[in-house]
Amino acid sequence: MKHVCLILFMLSSYDILAQHNFKGTIIDAKNNLPIEGVTISIMPGNNSSFSDERGQFRLHHNYTNAATIHFSCIGFESVILSIDSFKRNNLIILSQQETQLRDIIINARAGQEYKTISKLDIKVRGVNNSQEILRMVPGLFIGQHQGGGKAEQIFVRGFDCDHGTDINITADGIPVNLVSQAHGQGYADMHFIIPETIENVDFQKGPYNASKGNFTTSGFVDLKTKNILANNTLKIEGGMFDTYRLMGMFNLLSEKSLSKKQSLYVATELGYSNGFFQFPQDFRRYNLFGKFITPISKNTQLSFSASLFKSKWNASGQIPDRAVNNGTIDFFGAIDNTEGGKTDRENFNLQFISSLPNGSILKNQLYFTKYHFDLHTNFTFYLEDTINGDQIRQKEGRNLFGYNGSYRHLGEIGNLLVTTEAGIGLRLDNINNLELSHTIDRYTLLNRLAYGNVFETNIAAYISESIKLSNKININTGIRFDQFFNQYTDHLKSDSNFSANSSILSPKLSVYF
């Protein structure tokens, strides 16, 4: 497997042009920014491709009677060019327009390279919670419990991923899953994401993608926020049980800045709900997000984003049927009405995306997350402690640092289109005062069951090759290496230190038909 990957990587570095090979770049007429997800079709015939995040595409076509190339994307006017005119100028400019039903193209041979949930999908569903966007992933559903403050329970094709233990979730490349989290491994709370800022969502089932490592047992979901706002938005919503939501998104740069491929916008969200339980939920959530895009050279784009999230709530957890049946509580009551929690998260994300002279894309990303979590639950009521009850407190504070780098090249081996991707990653989680305690009324401490610091490092490297054999068959092969370093300082044992290290080599092979 290693030799095959190495040979394919070396061969793909040579740009062996086929006779009928078309490549170009697609940008938005309004702001000169690249457009991702444009469908490119050669007519007559049934061959098609899609533009990537830099607006670039490459399409191989072996029909001698090809006459025109069609460019179409939801929200943009379609463009049809003759083969000759395209060869003279392969920079394609699309103008925005209102979405029309006739712009929607259903392609039975899209292949695995374009599995995405688009901004149109998100818009027509009318979601007001970023976690609800996960429901759009085919075969994935979520279940909410404890009132909206916690991360949801995730299931993929019947596979229980818990709160994120077995599904890899990222937002603009920042990991959502938290290792060694106080409530559970891989805990993935997406509530820091304002749903209206999401441009599209990429996903794939299974652990077959070499670029994805830890938590990718059942698959991965990548959320990408908008680079630019089409217009300013202010939304006010209200509903039953004192439920309210205020959301606003605003451009901060002039039209002149947009013409220079610059963008700066902010989005904010305020939410409140008392819920329908006997004890008011008093659920409060606040989000603030900002993103800045600017070119720093002809071929390099800088992206910087930052977000702030705070949430607190009172929870109504599970209750025993017998307590309802004998009249101790009603159906919307609680045995322990002091359950609930609070959490906050701040993210900072810096990305450099460069287009190289050979058409390759080089990415470099640095990110930092500061996180706090404090949760109070009672699963067994008075089973263990018949006097004080069984309430537990799970708490932590965390600093998360990371780097992602990748190189992606589109090339040819003879008449076959080959995509080569290689990357490295570094993630450091510094968790302070990770706590599991027995409590009363949230903050009265009876006994600490676990209390200490965790320092965890993950170093990763991967390489993969995707080969398009035909319009029907695609092959992806790759290999990934992960090294883990873990250290635990136990405050309950005089700050004794414990460590464990491990590595794993993961070969990958997929065939798509």
Side-chain angles (χ1 to χ4, degrees):
M1 177 66 71
K2 292 182 180 178
H3 296 298
V4 172
C5 292
L6 180 60
I7 292 171
L8 289 175
F9 176 74
M10 293 175 65
L11 286 175
S12 65
S13 64
Y14 297 96
D15 199 17
I16 306 171
L17 296 176
Q19 182 179 359
H20 304 288
N21 188 66
F22 303 96
K23 60 182 179 180
T25 303
I26 306 172
I27 63 173
D28 189 330
K30 182 177 181 180
N31 49 54
N32 293 321
L33 291 175
I35 307 175
E36 181 180 3
V38 177
T39 302
I40 303 99
S41 304
I42 296 181
M43 298 294 179
N46 56 10
N47 203 0
S48 61
S49 184
F50 305 92
S51 60
D52 60 24
E53 60 189 301
R54 295 292 291 159
Q56 299 175 352
F57 68 92
R58 180 167 293 188
L59 181 62
H60 175 66
H61 191 74
N62 53 15
Y63 292 97
T64 57
N65 60 342
T68 58
I69 302 182
H70 296 225
F71 302 87
S72 59
C73 183
I74 295 174
F76 292 87
E77 294 182 3
S78 298
V79 171
I80 300 176
L81 298 176
S82 67
I83 296 294
D84 292 336
S85 61
F86 173 76
K87 289 179 179 178
R88 290 192 296 269
N89 181 16
N90 58 7
L91 177 65
I92 311 302
I93 302 175
L94 301 185
S95 300
Q96 297 183 18
Q97 69 170 12
E98 291 295 321
T99 301
Q100 303 292 328
L101 184 61
R102 63 174 178 268
D103 297 327
I104 299 176
I105 296 176
I106 299 175
N107 192 334
R109 295 180 175 178
Q112 93 285 0
E113 71 253 43
Y114 191 64
K115 290 183 177 178
T116 184
I117 298 169
S118 71
K119 57 186 177 183
L120 179 64
D121 297 318
I122 298 170
K123 183 177 180 180
V124 298
R125 299 288 182 97
V127 298
N128 60 10
N129 184 317
S130 57
Q131 301 259 168
E132 293 178 5
I133 293 176
L134 289 178
R135 290 194 175 105
M136 300 183 190
V137 176
L140 186 152
F141 66 96
I142 63 175
Q144 174 57 260
H145 66 108
Q146 281 220 358
K150 285 175 59 180
E152 279 78 354
Q153 198 89 7
I154 303 172
F155 301 85
V156 177
R157 291 178 175 169
F159 187 97
D160 185 359
C161 301
D162 196 49
H163 291 294
T165 305
D166 296 290
I167 184 167
N168 186 316
I169 303 176
T170 59
D172 286 337
I174 299 178
V176 178
N177 306 79
L178 299 177
V179 299
S180 302
Q181 206 267 356
H183 187 64
Q185 170 72 340
Y187 185 84
D189 184 359
M190 293 170 48
H191 291 117
F192 68 89
I193 305 168
I194 301 173
E196 285 84 357
T197 64
I198 298 175
E199 180 77 14
N200 58 55
V201 183
D202 293 333
F203 65 92
Q204 183 176 314
K205 305 296 177 57
Y208 315 117
N209 193 302
S211 67
K212 304 299 179 181
N214 204 7
F215 307 115
T216 319
T217 307
S218 65
F220 71 84
V221 179
D222 288 344
L223 294 90
K224 298 180 181 179
T225 59
K226 299 176 180 179
N227 285 337
I228 188 171
L229 300 181
N231 49 277
N232 297 332
T233 302
L234 181 64
K235 181 186 294 186
I236 302 175
E237 298 174 314
M240 299 173 64
F241 312 111
D242 298 322
T243 300
Y244 309 100
R245 180 173 182 259
L246 174 65
M247 191 284 301
M249 299 192 300
F250 308 98
N251 282 307
L252 300 183
L253 294 184
S254 64
E255 292 290 334
K256 183 179 180 180
S257 298
L258 293 178
S259 66
K260 297 179 181 179
K261 300 183 180 181
Q262 291 181 324
S263 170
L264 174 61
Y265 72 89
V266 295
T268 187
E269 176 189 40
L270 293 170
Y272 180 83
S273 179
N274 266 331
F276 46 81
F277 295 99
Q278 179 180 347
F279 299 96
Q281 185 180 3
D282 193 26
F283 174 49
R284 305 162 187 254
R285 182 168 70 230
Y286 171 69
N287 273 320
L288 179 65
F289 175 78
K291 190 171 186 179
F292 175 64
I293 302 285
T294 186
I296 57 176
S297 70
K298 181 180 179 181
N299 297 314
T300 301
Q301 175 183 278
L302 178 148
S303 170
F304 175 74
S305 62
S307 64
L308 170 65
F309 160 69
K310 290 183 178 293
S311 178
K312 62 181 297 187
W313 68 97
N314 300 320
S316 292
Q318 67 270 24
I319 55 175
D321 284 338
R322 65 180 182 274
V324 178
N325 294 334
N326 64 23
T328 303
I329 59 174
D330 65 28
F331 186 79
F332 298 101
I335 298 294
D336 184 349
N337 63 0
T338 63
E339 292 183 284
K342 58 183 179 180
T343 182
D344 61 79
R345 177 168 180 160
E346 295 88 46
N347 298 301
F348 301 90
N349 191 14
L350 181 64
Q351 295 188 33
F352 297 90
I353 302 178
S354 302
S355 298
L356 304 182
N358 65 351
S360 302
I361 296 178
L362 181 65
K363 293 183 185 179
N364 287 282
Q365 177 190 19
L366 291 168
Y367 60 85
F368 169 71
T369 293
K370 189 174 182 63
Y371 175 78
H372 291 92
F373 178 83
D374 193 1
L375 181 67
H376 312 268
T377 51
N378 192 339
F379 301 111
T380 53
F381 310 117
Y382 290 91
L383 178 65
E384 303 295 337
D385 188 334
T386 59
I387 305 298
N388 300 303
D390 297 343
Q391 185 180 93
I392 58 173
R393 182 185 192 184
Q394 295 165 309
K395 183 183 178 184
E396 70 162 73
R398 173 189 309 249
N399 291 317
L400 167 60
F401 305 85
Y403 166 79
N404 292 317
S406 66
Y407 169 84
R408 188 170 183 266
H409 175 74
L410 280 70
E412 298 84 27
I413 298 179
N415 291 331
L416 301 179
L417 289 179
V418 178
T419 301
T420 300
E421 184 174 350
I424 56 175
L426 172 66
R427 171 174 176 166
L428 299 94
D429 287 78
N430 187 11
I431 310 166
N432 297 311
N433 298 326
L434 183 64
E435 176 182 350
L436 173 63
S437 298
H438 181 196
T439 57
I440 301 175
D441 297 332
R442 295 195 181 186
Y443 302 112
T444 302
L445 177 65
L446 297 178
N447 181 34
R448 279 201 172 103
L449 306 175
Y451 189 49
N453 296 340
V454 174
F455 188 77
E456 183 167 332
T457 302
N458 178 198
I459 301 172
Y462 70 91
I463 182 171
S464 68
E465 297 278 357
S466 296
I467 306 172
K468 189 170 185 178
L469 297 180
S470 68
N471 289 334
K472 295 183 178 181
I473 301 176
N474 291 268
I475 294 178
N476 178 267
T477 182
I479 193 165
R480 179 183 178 91
F481 174 78
D482 285 274
Q483 175 70 53
F484 295 92
F485 302 94
N486 300 275
Q487 180 175 305
Y488 180 65
T489 302
D490 194 339
H491 294 333
L492 300 181
K493 295 182 178 180
S494 302
D495 287 338
S496 299
N497 291 317
F498 304 88
S499 62
N501 305 321
S502 184
S503 61
I504 184 171
L505 190 65
S506 308
K508 310 287 184 178
L509 178 63
S510 306
V511 179
Y512 296 90
F513 175 77

